[in-house]
């Protein structure tokens, strides 16, 4: 089928990151995808090689008058151009899907798959990613686990100029602006640690900090999506943010902490708690997650990695037992079409 996938880049790269992974996954399965995006600049480092079956369409103020495909996906309620929607109503109606934000809250199961009749006679369907069998699942391309099993950590680290010393743990940090970053770095110094800082807020927050006992810091360049996955596979603990890196940290199977996108009305606290309740870590890990998100005091000591790792691996096994998002989306579209 031909898919039209619409993406508006709001901030922080999560929207384009999710849309590109979905487009590339569908393309690898033999689908044809036109990815409409208003700002494709991040793809220059995120996916410089492109992907088979995926064509970029510049979503400008006057977008091209293309004939809609069999499937139209609007990511995160971004609303396709009015002229495009009008053309949708003049042909055999495509399956129109609103791919929603990821959440572990209860409403996701109730809302997943519901129709939204439109005034022009079309129907838009809500498709919710999620963590249970009553949701649309998570993006996980075929062969991901096999690729991780065959991964050469030492070679990849050497190739990217990352050289941990003997006994030094690796911790990646990809975050929004977080006043708790100095406390985290000091706490990591309780054991010899090489902290790999992603571009953006992590590097800004660490800039100018004095040398810390037990901690070395290394600034990373922007990585392709494939190399970011390998970074997560290489580290003992991963601090991630938003949606895309949050999901990839779960597939990595290593201990991770999620920096949820902060909302002014405090709604992010309930979203964070809903996921923690699914993960079911011990009290020490829960406190660290709360502290990193500004919802609790900073813990006196970080949780033991070995106990934390078993929880993350068990959680990954639970997710692996469920169909991935692209598989479910394909089935959903075939059913509705």
């Amino acid at each position: 089928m031909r898919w039209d996938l619409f993406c508006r880049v709001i901030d922080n790269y999560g929207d384009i990151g999710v849309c590109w992974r979905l487009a590339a996954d569908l393309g690898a399965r033999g689908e044809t995808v036109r990815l409409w995006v208003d700002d494709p600049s991040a793809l220059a480092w995120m996916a410089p090689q492109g992907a088979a079956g995926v064509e970029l369409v510049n979503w400008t103020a006057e977008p091209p008058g293309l004939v809609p495909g069999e499937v139209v996906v609007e990511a995160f309620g971004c609303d396709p151009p009015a002229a495009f929607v009008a053309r949708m109503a003049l042909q055999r109606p495509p399956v129109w899907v609103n791919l929603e934000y990821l959440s572990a809250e209860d409403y996701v199961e109730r809302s997943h798959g519901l129709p939204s009749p439109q005034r022009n006679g079309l129907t838009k369907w809500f498709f919710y990613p999620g963590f249970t069998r009553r949701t649309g699942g998570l993006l996980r391309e075929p062969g991901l686990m096999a690729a991780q099993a065959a991964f050469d950590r030492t070679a990849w680290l050497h190739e990217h100029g990352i050289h941990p010393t003997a006994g030094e743990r690796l911790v990646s940090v990809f975050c929004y602006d977080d006043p708790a970053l100095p406390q985290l770095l000091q706490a990591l110094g309780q054991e010899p640690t090489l902290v790999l800082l992603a571009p953006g807020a992590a590097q800004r927050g660490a800039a100018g900090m004095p040398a810390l006992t037990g901690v070395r810091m290394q600034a990373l360049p922007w990585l392709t999506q494939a190399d970011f996955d390998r970074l997560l596979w290489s580290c003992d603990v991963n601090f991630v943010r938003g949606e895309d890196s949050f999901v990839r940290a779960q597939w990595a199977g290593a201990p991770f902490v999620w920096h949820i996108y902060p909302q002014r009305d405090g709604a992010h606290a309930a979203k964070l708690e809903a996921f923690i309740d699914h993960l079911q870590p011990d009290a020490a890990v829960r406190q660290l997650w709360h502290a990193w998100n500004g919802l609790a005091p900073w813990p006196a000591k970080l949780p033991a990695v070995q106990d934390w790792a078993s929880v993350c691996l068990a959680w990954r096994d639970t997710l692996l037992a469920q169909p991935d998002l692209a598989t479910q989306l394909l089935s959903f579209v075939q059913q509705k079409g």
Side-chain angles (χ1 to χ4, degrees):
M1 295 176 288
R2 179 178 294 279
W3 299 61
D4 287 292
L5 172 55
F6 288 87
C7 172
R8 284 200 183 279
V9 179
I10 306 301
D11 57 10
N12 297 314
Y13 311 114
D15 33 32
I16 185 62
V18 170
C19 289
W20 181 259
R21 285 197 194 270
L22 175 59
D25 194 349
L26 290 170
R29 300 177 192 231
E31 306 296 303
T32 302
V33 183
R34 293 187 298 212
L35 176 58
W36 298 64
V37 59
D38 61 342
D39 181 5
S41 58
L43 294 176
W45 52 264
M46 190 179 290
Q49 303 302 319
V54 180
E55 172 191 356
L56 284 180
V57 178
N58 286 325
W59 187 359
T60 59
E62 297 182 4
L66 300 177
V67 176
E70 292 93 336
V71 188
V72 174
V73 178
E74 59 174 86
F76 317 127
C78 63
D79 292 325
F84 187 89
V85 174
R87 290 193 294 274
M88 289 165 58
L90 295 175
Q91 63 179 55
R92 179 182 177 182
V95 180
W96 186 2
V97 175
N98 179 10
L99 178 66
E100 278 286 358
Y101 289 101
L102 174 64
S103 177
E105 294 171 290
D106 293 341
Y107 76 85
V108 169
E109 291 188 346
R110 298 192 301 269
S111 304
H112 176 59
L114 292 182
S116 175
Q118 305 295 298
R119 292 181 178 180
N120 58 6
L122 297 174
T123 298
K124 184 189 301 188
W125 299 91
F126 289 100
F127 194 94
Y128 279 84
F131 306 95
T132 69
R133 289 189 176 275
R134 295 179 60 187
T135 70
L138 302 176
L139 283 168
R140 183 184 79 244
E141 58 273 21
L144 178 64
M145 292 298 101
Q148 183 176 356
F151 174 60
D152 187 333
R153 176 181 184 266
T154 302
W156 186 88
L157 290 173
H158 181 77
E159 177 185 348
H160 288 80
I162 303 169
H163 304 289
T165 61
E168 194 174 46
R169 65 181 172 185
L170 276 181
V171 175
S172 73
V173 180
F174 182 42
C175 62
Y176 303 114
D177 289 312
D178 194 332
L181 181 60
Q183 293 170 290
L184 171 66
L185 295 173
Q186 291 171 1
L188 289 173
Q190 295 169 0
E191 298 180 26
T193 303
L194 174 55
V195 181
L196 304 175
L197 300 166
Q203 293 183 12
R204 288 196 305 270
M209 285 190 63
L212 297 171
T213 302
V215 173
R216 293 195 299 134
M217 290 184 282
Q218 181 172 341
L220 298 176
W222 288 114
L223 299 173
T224 66
Q225 285 191 328
D227 274 328
F228 186 79
D229 287 346
R230 285 155 179 76
L231 170 69
L232 299 179
W233 299 350
S234 298
C235 289
D236 301 296
V237 182
N238 294 302
F239 286 75
V240 291
R241 75 181 197 189
E243 182 168 327
D244 182 56
S245 62
F246 170 46
V247 171
R248 306 312 283 193
Q250 292 171 69
W251 295 134
F256 68 99
V257 181
W258 181 28
H259 195 185
I260 189 170
Y261 187 79
Q263 295 173 277
R264 291 182 180 179
D265 61 0
H268 61 288
K271 295 179 181 293
L272 182 74
E273 201 64 32
F275 178 77
I276 295 176
D277 287 343
H278 279 279
L279 185 63
Q280 295 185 336
D282 63 21
V285 172
R286 187 180 289 262
Q287 183 181 1
L288 175 59
W289 278 54
H290 287 163
W292 185 235
N293 284 279
L295 301 172
W298 194 257
K301 186 177 181 181
L302 296 182
V305 169
Q306 58 271 24
D307 298 335
W308 191 2
S310 62
V311 171
C312 293
L313 287 172
W315 174 245
R316 183 176 69 175
D317 288 343
T318 298
L319 297 176
L320 287 171
Q322 302 170 20
D324 66 90
L325 187 147
T327 295
Q328 293 199 56
L329 183 58
L330 281 163
S331 177
F332 185 84
V333 164
Q334 290 162 359
Q335 177 189 359
K336 302 305 178 186

